[in-house]
Structure formats: structure tokens, C-alpha cells
């Protein structure tokens, strides 16, 4: 029986190949993901070990609490006086102190940046190159007012040694000369990041760390273990500092990148999973159709004495063989895709480090198992259907499969499946205390069940839906159009499962668009509600902090009526880490807040050294009322006692303020090198070209500061979202492509099946063009069916999510919905190209004699 | 109209023919294994005539009919239908010719399962983008005894009824000529008899020129003229023959 199955496949090469493509694409995405993330991990892992290669122990500042890692707050620096003490320890051979952080290179008044990649700066010690994070590749280590720059940036921007360049970190721009080019650890490129190195005094000026250090790296004398060295250092450490071995420090530095990469990996794998899920629809459908066409053949086997089990096994074997072949091919395509993904991220401004592709055994094993498993699972239903072929069918012309035992429960079953899916999804969304994993799991499984249920239900609505969607075709497509509509309605189950594959992809892109539209709308609404008018100042990349000096310079612009600088960072309040903010008295004239309990904008002026305002959620959670007391601790360990002066309700789209906001003066007392996240400026006479020009002129010394009108501010803040959206669309496009092949497959099989019929139509006067139009129209009707159901489902799912997520309102992405519907039509047209040509080319005579 | 005024040989009919074929040959394959299915056939079919084509299996009946109907091209020779030379036409022109001038009745009825009887009947008009003449369709359906079956799907019709739908479908365009390849081949003898009566009736009532390929003496007996093929040649012709005459000729051929 196995050999029958395999020989059958060989005979139906085209059909087998078309079926396999679905799995190839899914497996390719999984392989590509692993290759991409493993390659990046490999690159980073190498980098960090390299960076600490000569270091046996490190001392760093220790935050008073575990930082959230969600924003720019870093551990506090410590006094430079620790360095000579460590150098004086008996087991220390040498030690070097350093500072570092975000440092922007400035060329011709513009910040050098590549997409959203970071701009980093470090101090280096020219006399102790073995303890430096950077490796010199050309030129010299920097002296006073000099710097070294990473080679990749140097090449991209055509920089040369001796050239003057501006650098800005936490203070004003400094002008320096390039003394050489470097690598970071061993890596030629760290994605699109720019790296710069300075001598310690210059770096301390740049980062405003005069007399302070962020890190000490120590080298042990011969024969002293790193652990022993660390223990010795620990003995003399002042409070708010910690010591680690060089290895431990490398691991800890790599942790953030690693957790990001793990997230990226899971994220991409999810899309591979979706593509495979869609692929399983395609496979199940293709096998079902082939089995329907092979009814006679299977029945003949039965009359020759094959048992049901043997028939079933031959189908599963076929699935297994297709799965294996497709998975192997998928791994090959996946390697190519890995390269493509690097390029994709690069294209949307998210360059990733790449030191060569890495293909682990694990990747191959997972890809094979998943690919084969999905195919075999998808072949189960068709296999059981095949067992229902009675031997008598061998004797009959065009006999139909008898309905299964459970056929009558099908509608109820599929409705139930859909209902359970929605229940799980809603449970995941709205139940309390599930934890992230639980929420994601019940949402994921729920969505999966919804898709399955809707796909099964779709068979019941396929006829009426095709009737409606095909109406234009019957009007404008003549006989070919009406026949196409009739054909689409002829085998509703087949049409529905073909359409369902596309439905999944379109439901997800619609869902994503609804979320994006919701975020955009609520954010826009929030800005409109909160902020009367004026200008906003942010970093060029829209999210890095900017020096306070920039805000102060802006405040001196002629015509400024008010300015509100917003600072932000991690803070510990009531034993939890929160993103706290600070603002000056100018906020009273800038923000239009919704105060509860009789508060007013006067709060901004009254904050002083101990005042705070909180948002309604935080107040409710901690039972705060006006006058309540709380304590806010900064990462430096310094804290401030506060009393609540106001409680406000932020708009749906959020506000620039965290749960707790204090005055900027109080903030600056406890935070180390404070910086602004945004400055909002109100000018006399509102927004005008002259006002903007005045601000820009005033900020000339701060090239990283960007002056924006309200509209520009909103657009810029949302632009990151658009990048993410584009990545999501590209990834989901893969699922849509898989379903496109599903349609191609169904059409090709259908053309096979209807060969004699096509011959008859041609004989009685149908032209090739009409035949092609007929196939094309059927394809478009099928695709539109998937599109309509998918878009509707996406809107429903999006509505549910919007109802759950506090900072999103529901918004209908009209334009996208129309684009997606058009895309569905295009998918239908593309899918029909090949099958329509085949059908058109059929030889009338041969077709008439086809069995 | 370039009508040939010199009928060739003794096989032939007066010149106002619906179909004129001259010196048709058809060779399948090449070299050693080549098969000559037709080896020089001349044939004229007069308007309003019912011609039956008979002959042993493999004698070339189907091949001849396919070439006459423009579904296949001869290796040499010419075919004119309604005065148009068709062997040089491209696919689109041939399709249009079939639309206007040719009707088909197949052994397997080849109805579209998703259309009802009436829709199947008017399908050729729909394909040509023409409006059906309602009284003509009604009269056809009446003639075929399908008046009360017009809304039935093929799966709800018996084999004989399905073939009657197919005949109505082939007549609906009032083709210059109707080709039927073993129209009773797939039916029991009683139903087959009814179908033959209908074919004869359509010739008598509408003057429908018809060429029918058949194995059955009974079927051939309804024809005005019977052509006997053997090894790709017309070897005998009978007019208004009885079933016995036909059987006698058949026996002499296969013997
Ligand atoms: N496509 C083809 N390729 C090669 N040879 C063919 C082809 N079609 C027909 N033939 C050969 O041509 C000859 C005539 O075939 P044709 O089908 O016309 O016979 P027929 O008289 O219709 O027979 P039957 O009564 O069995 O239908 C036969 O020898 C057949 O084998
Ligand atoms: Mg034949």
C-alpha cells in the first residue's frame, strides 16, 4: 500500500508540488527565524566575551532597586576616588575607570543615526588597551578633545582621521578631532549602532560625570582567580556599588540583548506557526480534493481486497512523504529567508549585527518535526474520508463520497468550536490574574479555535456568500461570469476551505490595522485633549532623552509664554518599580488635565519640594486621596517624601505623565544627571513659522533636539508604530502567499476534475478567453470570500482587543479595509494565472475524452 | 459562395451542402508506428439530411466526425462548413464557427451538474452572449418531453432525460449541422430508441442536418443515408436502408 501511495504521488507530481509549497513556506519561516536569531545571538555573544576579555573583575554602580529595563534609567555612577583604592589592592595588577552612555555624533549640524539603532559612547584608556571595550583598527587612541569612531560608521559617513566632528551626550555639543577607528569587541558592526570612544576626562565632561565613574575594570595579578579578586574588591566597596567577575559582567551585559533576541525569536516563530497553520488548511484541502478525484482508484483497491486501514494508511503515508520532502526544501529556503529577514529589518531601519549565518542542529530538527507533524495531522481527516469510499464506487461513474457518521453534527460542532474559541479569547482578555503566559496561551488557543470553527462554518455560508460576491461577475462577465459563480457554489466545502486559508491571513492583518488605528486615534485624541497648542521638543529619534540645557535654551527664546519640561525614569514607590515623571510649574499653562476631587492646574505651581500628583488608577490601587503621603526612591538610593496634591484622569491614549509626578526641582535633587524626555513650549500668538524658526535658532547648539508642531509631534511619535506595522504586514504576507498557493492548488485540481466539462464548453462555443475568465472569476470569488470573512473576523477580534486594552479605542481603519479587499481580489487574480492558462490551453478533443 | 460543382465519385450529394469534405486524410504519429485513421475521404452532407456513419471499431468514424466538426485538423484535405473552409482557421475563429454552425450530442451527456435542465439547454446561447428566444426554447423542451422537468438538475434526471436535454442544447442555436457521436451508446435499448425518434423528429420537423456516428443497426436505420467506413475509407453507402440491410453490410465488413 505504501508503494501505491508513493507511486501515486510520483504520477501526480504537479499536484504534490503545489500541495507541498504551503509547508515549504511555513518551514522556511521557522528555519529563517532560527537562523536569524541564532546568528545575531552568536554575534552578540562573541562581542561581549571579547569586550571583557582582559577583565577579571568589574565594579559598577548598584541601583537601589531592580530597574525595569523599560526606559533610559541606568544605575547611578560612583565617586572616582574608588579607583586608586582598587589599584592599591594587593592582588590587582591594574584597573581602569570608565563612563559611558548615549552619545550622538554630529555632522553638519545633524545627528548621525541609522534607523532606531543606538548611539553609544565610552571612555577608553589609551595606556591600557587590553582593558578597553573597543579595539583600535586604525589611527591612534584619543587624547584630550579627540575621539575614535567605529569603522562601519566611519565608512558609511566617509569620515577620516583628523576630521572635526561634534559630539553630544548629556550636556552641550563638544567639537573634537577623529584620532582613529575601532571595532566593538571583535565585531566590525553592531547593527546600525554608532560607537565612539574618548579619554576619561573628555568622556566625563560629555556625560556630565565629573569626578564620577560608571564602571571600573580590574585585572588580577598572575595566579589570582577572578573570584578571589572580586572577593577582595568586595571588602572595600562603598554603598550603591557592586563587584562581578569579568565573565559574569559579560553575561549580565548580554542579558538585555539576549532577552530582546528571545522575544524576537518567539515573535517571528509565531508568524512561522501562523503560516504553517494556514498551510495545514491548504494541505487538508488538497488531499481531500485528490481523494475525491481518486474515488474510483481507491474503490478499485478496496474491491481488490484492501482494508479500510490500508487505504487510510496509504493517505497518511502520502502526507508523511509530502511533509518530509517539503520540510527539507523548507529548510533550504529558510536559509535564504534568514538573509532576507536581515535585509527586511535593515530596510525598515532596524539593522541587526551579522557575523555570518548560524544553522544549529536544533533548527533542522524542529523544522523537520513541525513540518512533518503538521502535514500528517492535516492528512488525517482526508484519510478518514478516504476510508468511506465503498468498493461499489469502482463500478459507478462519478459517484460521491457518502457522508460520514458525524456529518449531521458538523454545523453544531463547528458553531460550538467557534463559541469555545471566543470564550477562551475573552477569558484570556478579561480574566484577572492569569499572568502573561496564561493570557497569551488562552488568547492564542482561542484564536486558533475561532479560525477552525469559522472555517468549518464557512462551508455553510459559502453558497449564499458566493452568490452575493459573484453578482457583479454575472452582470459583467457574461456566461463565463455566471458559470464561475455556479462553480464557486458547486462544492461549498471546497470553496470554503480554500477561502479559509486566506481568511486567516486577512483576519490577522485587519486585526493589526485595527489595533494600529486604535492606538493612533487614541494617541491623537489624548494629545488633543491634553495639550492646547504649541511646540514639542524631543530627540531626533523621538524617544531618547535630551539634555536639560536644551530645554533651558528653548525657554529663553523670545516670545515663549510657558515651557514644561517632562523628565522621566524608574522610581520605587510602595515597593513597586514605576515610571515616575517630573514637570515644572510651566505645566499649568500647557496642559489641560482632567483633575478629580476638585483639583486644578494650580497643582503644577504648588508641587514644590514635596508635592506630587498621581493618576486615578494609582490612586485607586493604593487608596490615595488628596493629602495622602508616599515616598519615592530614585535608583541612586536617595528618596523624597511626598504628599498628594492632585489626582488626574489621563485620556484613553495616555499622557506624558507616569503614575506619580513630582516637581523638576525635587527630581533633580535625587536623580543622577537628569534629562528631559520632552519639552512642551507655548509661544505668544500660537503656532507660526516665525515662532518655530525662533525656537530652532535657539536650539542650534543641540542638534539632537527636534522642534515639532503638535501635528508633527503626533506623527513622529506614531512613526515607530508604522515601522512595526510594516514588519507585521510583511510577516503576515507570507501567510497570505501560502493561502494564494492554496487557491492555485484548488483551481488546478478543479481544472483536472472538470476537464471533460471544459472540453464540452469549448466544443459548444466557449472561447479560450472565456474559459480563462471563468477560472479567474471563480478564483476571485473564492479569494473575496476569504477576504470578506477574514476582514469581518479581524474587525471583531480587533474590537474585542480594543475593548480590553485601556489605552486603545476602537477605530475602523477604512482605508486599510478597502486595501485588503482589493488585495484579496489581487490574490485571486494572481492565483488564477497559471490554472486559467492551463484550462485555456486544454485540447478540446483530448479534454472531451478525458476520464 | 465557393461551392464545388463537381461532386467526386459516386459518393456524394447535390451541391448545396451543409458540409463538404474533400480528400481527407488523418495520420496519427510518425514513422514506423504511424496510423492512418483516414485515408482519403470525400463527403457531402446536404441540408436537412440525416447521415449515419458506421463501421467496425477503429475504422475512423470518430476521427472523421471530429475533423468535420473542426475539433481536429486533417493531415491533408479540406472541410467546408456553411461555405467556410475551416481547416485553416485559428482557435478563436473555429470556436465562433462552432458557436454559430455546429451542435454536439455526446455519448456521455456532458451536462453541467450545477445548472438545471433549461439552463443547460440555453448554455450555448449564454456563451455566445445571445438572448434565448423563449418560444423556441419552450417548443424544444416540449418536443423533447422535458416541459415538466425544466427546473431539474441533471442528477435528478434519468439517463434518457439527460440525453434529451443534451439534444435540446445542441438544437437551441439552430446549428447548420449537428454531430452526434454514439448518442445511444450509454443508454438502454428502450431509452435509446426514444432518443433516436427524437433525432429523426428534429430532422423532419426543423430540417436539422445531422451526422451521427453509431454502432447500432437500429440507429443507422433511421438515417436517410448510411456511410460505411473501413480502414479509413468509405467503402459503402446505403439510402433509406432497413435494419436488416445494415446488418448484412456490417457482417460483410467485419467478416
Ligand atoms: N489520438 C490518437 N493517437 C493515435 N492513434 C489514434 C488516436 N485516435 C485514434 N487513433 C487511431 O485511429 C484509428 C481510428 O480511430 P477512431 O477513434 O476514429 O475509430 P472509431 O471508428 O471511432 O472506433 P470506435 O468504434 O471504437 O469508437 C484507430 O486505429 C485508432 O487506434
Ligand atoms: Mg469512436
Amino acid at each position: 500500500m505504501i508503494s501505491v501511495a508513493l507511486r501515486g504521488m510520483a504520477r501526480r507530481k504537479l499536484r504534490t508540488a503545489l500541495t507541498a509549497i504551503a509547508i515549504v513556506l511555513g518551514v522556511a519561516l521557522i528555519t529563517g527565524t532560527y537562523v536569524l536569531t541564532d546568528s545575531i545571538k552568536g554575534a552578540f555573544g562573541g562581542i561581549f566575551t571579547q569586550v571583557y576579555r582582559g577583565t577579571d573583575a568589574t565594579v559598577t554602580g548598584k541601583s537601589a532597586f531592580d530597574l525595569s529595563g523599560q526606559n533610559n534609567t541606568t544605575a547611578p555612577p560612583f565617586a572616582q576616588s574608588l579607583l586608586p583604592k582598587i589599584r592599591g589592592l594587593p592582588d590587582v595588577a591594574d584597573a581602569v575607570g570608565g563612563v559611558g552612555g548615549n552619545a550622538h555624533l554630529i555632522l553638519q549640524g545633524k545627528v548621525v543615526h541609522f534607523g532606531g539603532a543606538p548611539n553609544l559612547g565610552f571612555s577608553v584608556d589609551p595606556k591600557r588597551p587590553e582593558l578597553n571595550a573597543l579595539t583600535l583598527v586604525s589611527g591612534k587612541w584619543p587624547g584630550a578633545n579627540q575621539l575614535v569612531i567605529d569603522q562601519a560608521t566611519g565608512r558609511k559617513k566617509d569620515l577620516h582621521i583628523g576630521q572635526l566632528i561634534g559630539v553630544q551626550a548629556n550636556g552641550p555639543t563638544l567639537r573634537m578631532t577623529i584620532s582613529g577607528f575601532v571595532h566593538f569587541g571583535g565585531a566590525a558592526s553592531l547593527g546600525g549602532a554608532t560607537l565612539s570612544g574618548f579619554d576619561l576626562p573628555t568622556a566625563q565632561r560629555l556625560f556630565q560625570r565629573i569626578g564620577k565613574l560608571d564602571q571600573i575594570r580590574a585585572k588580577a595579578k598572575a595566579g589570582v582567580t577572578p573570584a578571589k579578586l572580586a572577593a577582595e574588591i568586595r571588602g572595600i566597596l562603598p554603598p550603591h556599588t557592586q563587584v562581578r567577575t569579568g565573565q559574569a559582567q559579560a553575561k549580565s551585559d548580554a542579558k538585555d540583548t539576549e532577552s530582546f533576541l528571545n522575544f524576537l525569536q518567539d515573535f517571528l516563530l509565531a508568524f512561522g506557526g501562523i503560516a504553517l497553520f494556514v498551510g495545514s488548511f491548504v494541505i487538508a484541502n488538497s488531499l481531500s480534493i485528490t481523494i475525491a478525484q481518486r474515488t474510483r482508484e481507491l474503490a478499485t483497491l478496496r474491491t481488490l481486497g484492501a482494508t479500510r486501514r490500508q487505504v487510510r494508511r496509504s493517505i497518511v503515508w502520502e502526507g508523511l512523504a509530502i511533509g518530509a520532502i517539503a520540510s527539507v526544501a523548507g529548510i533550504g529556503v529558510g536559509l535564504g529567508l534568514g538573509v532576507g529577514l536581515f535585509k527586511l529589518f535593515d530596510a525598515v531601519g532596524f539593522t541587526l549585527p551579522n557575523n555570518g549565518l548560524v544553522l544549529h542542529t536544533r533548527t533542522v530538527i524542529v523544522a523537520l518535526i513541525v513540518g512533518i507533524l503538521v502535514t500528517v495531522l492535516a492528512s488525517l481527516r482526508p484519510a478518514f474520508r478516504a476510508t468511506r469510499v465503498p468498493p461499489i464506487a469502482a463500478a459507478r461513474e462519478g459517484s460521491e463520497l457518502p457522508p460520514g457518521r458525524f456529518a449531521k453534527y458538523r454545523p453544531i460542532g463547528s458553531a460550538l468550536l467557534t463559541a469555545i474559541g471566543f470564550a477562551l479569547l475573552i477569558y484570556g482578555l478579561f480574566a484577572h490574574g492569569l499572568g502573561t503566559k496564561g493570557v497569551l496561551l488562552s488568547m492564542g488557543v482561542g484564536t486558533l479555535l475561532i479560525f477552525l470553527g469559522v472555517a468549518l462554518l464557512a462551508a455553510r455560508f459559502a453558497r449564499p456568500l458566493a452568490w452575493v460576491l459573484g453578482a457583479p461577475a454575472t452582470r459583467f462577465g457574461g456566461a463565463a461570469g455566471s458559470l464561475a459563480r455556479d462553480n464557486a457554489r458547486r462544492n461549498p466545502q471546497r470553496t470554503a476551505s480554500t477561502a479559509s486559508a486566506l481568511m486567516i491571513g486577512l483576519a490577522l492583518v485587519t486585526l493589526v490595522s485595527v489595533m494600529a488605528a486604535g492606538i493612533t486615534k487614541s494617541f491623537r485624541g489624548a494629545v488633543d485633549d491634553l495639550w492646547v497648542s504649541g511646540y514639542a521638543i524631543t530627540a531626533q529619534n523621538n524617544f531618547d532623552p535630551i539634555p536639560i540645557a536644551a530645554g533651558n535654551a528653548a525657554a529663553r527664546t523670545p516670545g515663549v509664554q510657558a515651557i514644561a519640561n517632562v523628565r522621566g525614569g524608574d522610581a520605587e514607590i510602595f515597593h513597586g518599580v514605576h515610571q515616575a515623571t517630573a514637570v515644572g510649574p510651566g505645566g499649568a499653562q500647557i496642559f489641560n488635565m482632567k483633575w478629580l476631587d476638585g483639583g486644578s492646574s494650580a497643582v503644577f505651581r504648588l508641587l514644590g519640594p514635596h508635592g506630587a500628583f498621581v493618576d486615578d488608577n494609582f490612586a485607586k490601587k493604593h487608596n490615595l486621596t488628596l493629602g495622602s503621603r508616599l515616598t519615592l526612591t530614585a535608583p541612586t538610593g536617595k528618596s523624597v517624601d511626598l504628599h498628594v496634591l492632585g489626582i488626574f484622569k489621563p485620556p484613553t491614549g495616555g499622557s506624558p505623565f507616569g503614575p506619580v509626578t513630582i516637581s523638576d526641582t525635587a527630581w533633580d535633587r535625587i536623580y543622577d544627571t537628569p534629562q528631559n524626555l520632552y519639552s512642551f513650549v507655548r509661544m505668544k500668538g500660537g503656532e507660526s513659522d516665525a515662532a518655530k524658526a525662533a525656537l530652532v535658532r535657539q536650539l542650534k547648539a543641540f542638534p539632537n533636539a527636534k522642534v515639532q508642531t503638535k501635528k508633527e509631534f503626533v506623527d513622529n511619535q506614531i512613526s515607530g508604530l508604522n515601522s512595526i506595522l510594516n514588519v507585521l504586514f510583511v510577516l503576515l504576507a507570507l501567510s497570505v502567499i501560502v493561502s494564494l498557493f492554496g487557491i492555485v492548488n484548488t483551481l488546478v485540481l478543479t481544472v483536472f476534475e472538470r476537464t471533460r466539462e471544459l472540453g464540452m464548453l469549448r466544443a459548444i462555443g466557449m472561447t479560450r478567453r472565456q474559459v480563462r475568465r471563468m477560472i479567474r472569476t471563480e478564483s476571485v470569488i473564492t479569494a473575496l470570500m476569504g477576504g470578506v470573512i477574514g476582514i469581518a473576523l479581524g474587525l471583531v477580534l480587533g474590537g474585542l482587543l480594543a475593548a480590553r486594552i485601556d489605552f486603545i479605542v476602537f477605530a475602523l481603519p477604512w482605508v486599510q479595509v478597502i486595501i485588503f479587499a482589493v488585495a484579496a481580489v489581487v490574490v485571486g487574480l494572481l492565483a488564477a494565472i497559471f490554472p486559467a492558462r492551463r484550462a485555456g490551453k486544454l485540447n478540446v478533443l483530448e479534454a472531451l475524452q478525458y476520464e | 459562395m465557393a461551392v464545388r460543382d463537381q461532386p467526386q465519385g459516386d459518393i456524394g450529394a447535390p451541391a448545396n451542402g451543409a458540409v463538404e469534405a474533400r480528400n481527407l486524410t488523418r495520420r496519427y504519429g510518425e514513422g514506423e508506428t504511424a496510423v492512418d485513421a483516414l485515408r482519403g475521404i470525400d463527403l457531402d452532407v446536404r441540408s436537412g439530411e440525416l447521415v449515419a456513419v458506421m463501421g467496425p471499431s477503429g475504422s475512423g468514424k470518430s476521427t472523421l466526425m471530429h475533423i468535420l466538426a473542426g475539433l481536429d485538423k486533417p493531415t491533408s484535405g479540406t472541410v467546408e462548413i456553411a461555405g467556410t473552409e475551416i481547416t485553416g482557421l485559428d482557435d478563436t475563429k473555429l470556436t465562433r464557427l462552432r458557436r454559430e454552425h455546429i451542435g454536439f450530442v455526446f455519448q456521455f451527456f456532458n451536462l453541467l451538474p450545477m445548472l438545471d435542465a433549461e439552463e443547460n439547454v440555453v448554455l450555448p446561447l449564454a456563451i455566445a452572449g445571445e438572448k434565448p428566444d423563449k418560444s423556441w426554447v419552450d417548443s424544444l423542451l416540449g418536443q423533447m418531453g422535458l416541459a415538466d422537468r425544466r427546473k431539474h438538475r441533471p442528477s435528478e434526471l434519468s439517463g434518457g432525460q439527460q440525453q434529451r436535454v443534451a439534444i435540446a442544447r445542441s438544437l437551441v442555436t439552430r446549428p447548420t449541422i449537428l454531430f452526434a457521436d454514439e448518442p445511444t451508446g450509454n443508454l438502454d435499448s428502450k431509452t435509446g430508441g426514444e432518443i433516436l425518434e427524437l433525432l429523426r423528429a428534429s430532422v423532419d420537423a426543423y430540417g436539422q442536418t445531422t451526422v451521427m456516428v453509431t454502432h447500432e443497426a437500429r440507429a443507422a436505420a433511421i438515417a436517410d443515408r448510411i456511410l460505411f467506413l473501413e480502414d479509413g475509407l468509405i467503402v459503402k453507402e446505403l439510402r433509406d436502408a432497413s435494419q436488416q440491410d445494415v446488418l448484412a453490410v456490417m457482417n460483410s465488413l467485419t467478416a
Side-chain angles (χ1 to χ4, degrees), chain A residues 254-264:
Chain A
K255 210 170 71 188
D256 281 355
T257 6
E258 211 154 85
S259 62
F260 167 72
L261 284 172
N262 285 336
F263 168 75
L264 182 69

Side-chain angles (χ1 to χ4, degrees), chain B residues 47-51 143 171 178 196-211 222 224:
Chain B
S47 284
E49 195 182 15
L50 171 53
V51 176
Q143 171 96 15
L171 293 173
L178 183 142
L196 291 173
E197 273 168 37
L198 283 173
L199 281 175
R200 182 70 241 177
S202 73
V203 177
D204 297 339
Y206 311 124
Q208 177 60 58
T209 316
T210 305
V211 173
I222 65 160
D224 301 317

Side-chain angles (χ1 to χ4, degrees), chain A residues 28-287:
Chain A
L29 192 49
I30 287 189
T31 312
T33 297
Y34 277 126
V35 167
L36 175 85
T37 48
D38 289 344
S39 304
I40 303 172
K41 272 187 200 166
F44 271 116
I47 288 167
F48 285 110
T49 354
Q50 188 70 11
V51 162
Y52 289 100
R53 70 200 178 281
T55 306
D56 293 311
T58 62
V59 176
T60 52
K62 187 169 185 245
S63 173
F65 47 87
D66 284 340
L67 296 175
S68 66
Q70 277 171 1
N71 52 57
N72 295 288
T73 324
T74 49
F78 50 88
Q80 198 169 353
S81 53
L82 185 59
L83 183 59
K85 284 185 208 154
I86 287 183
R87 279 187 182 147
L89 286 173
D91 285 337
V92 172
D94 202 355
V96 59
V99 295
N102 287 330
H104 307 280
L105 299 171
I106 292 149
L107 267 179
Q108 279 131 25
K110 288 219 172 72
V111 173
V112 176
H113 66 101
F114 305 104
N119 309 114
L120 305 173
F122 315 86
S123 67
V124 291
D125 192 330
K127 288 186 216 95
R128 298 176 173 86
E130 72 281 4
L131 288 176
N132 286 341
L134 304 174
T135 325
L136 195 65
V137 286
S138 69
K140 281 191 285 210
W141 289 109
N145 291 317
Q146 291 185 332
L147 84 166
V148 286
I149 293 177
D150 72 283
Q151 204 177 25
T153 304
R155 287 212 179 115
K156 276 187 261 187
K157 288 288 160 183
D158 210 12
L159 304 175
H160 52 87
I161 291 172
Q163 187 175 346
L164 264 176
I165 191 166
V167 187
Q168 181 179 38
N170 298 358
T173 308
L174 302 182
R175 294 190 67 73
M176 314 183 189
T177 338
I178 300 172
S179 71
F181 293 103
V182 291
H183 281 173
F184 185 72
S189 143
L190 203 65
T194 67
L195 302 172
S196 43
F198 320 91
D199 75 353
L200 186 61
T202 310
Q204 283 172 322
R205 264 195 301 144
L206 266 176
F207 294 109
Q208 302 200 323
R209 295 273 206 269
I210 307 285
K212 287 178 185 166
L213 294 175
D214 288 319
Q215 192 183 53
I216 293 174
R217 296 154 165 244
K219 196 174 151 64
K221 284 194 172 134
V224 179
T225 64
K228 177 151 186 283
L229 182 72
E232 194 174 307
I233 293 174
R234 194 167 295 122
I236 62 159
L237 281 187
H240 302 305
T241 55
Q242 60 192 341
V243 63
R244 291 190 182 108
T245 63
Q247 244 177 7
Q249 185 68 43
K251 230 180 236 160
S252 149
D253 280 14
K255 210 170 71 188
D256 281 355
T257 6
E258 211 154 85
S259 62
F260 167 72
L261 284 172
N262 285 336
F263 168 75
L264 182 69
Q265 186 167 320
D266 291 347
F267 175 79
L268 291 175
L269 283 179
F271 287 91
I274 294 168
L276 271 175
F277 182 57
V278 174
S280 71
F281 273 73
V282 173
I283 294 210
N285 201 27
S286 306
L287 285 175

Side-chain angles (χ1 to χ4, degrees), chain A residues 703-714:
Chain A
N704 193 33
K706 182 161 67 175
V707 180
Q708 303 144 83
T709 61
K710 185 160 136 180
K711 185 178 173 311
E712 287 164 345
F713 173 71
V714 172

Side-chain angles (χ1 to χ4, degrees), chain A residues 849, chain B residues 28-29 35-37 55-64 182 213 215:
Chain A
Q849 286 154 2
Chain B
Y28 289 110
V35 176
D36 286 307
S57 186
S59 56
K61 306 183 292 291
S62 296
T63 307
L64 173 63
E182 306 196 16
V213 168
H215 269 117

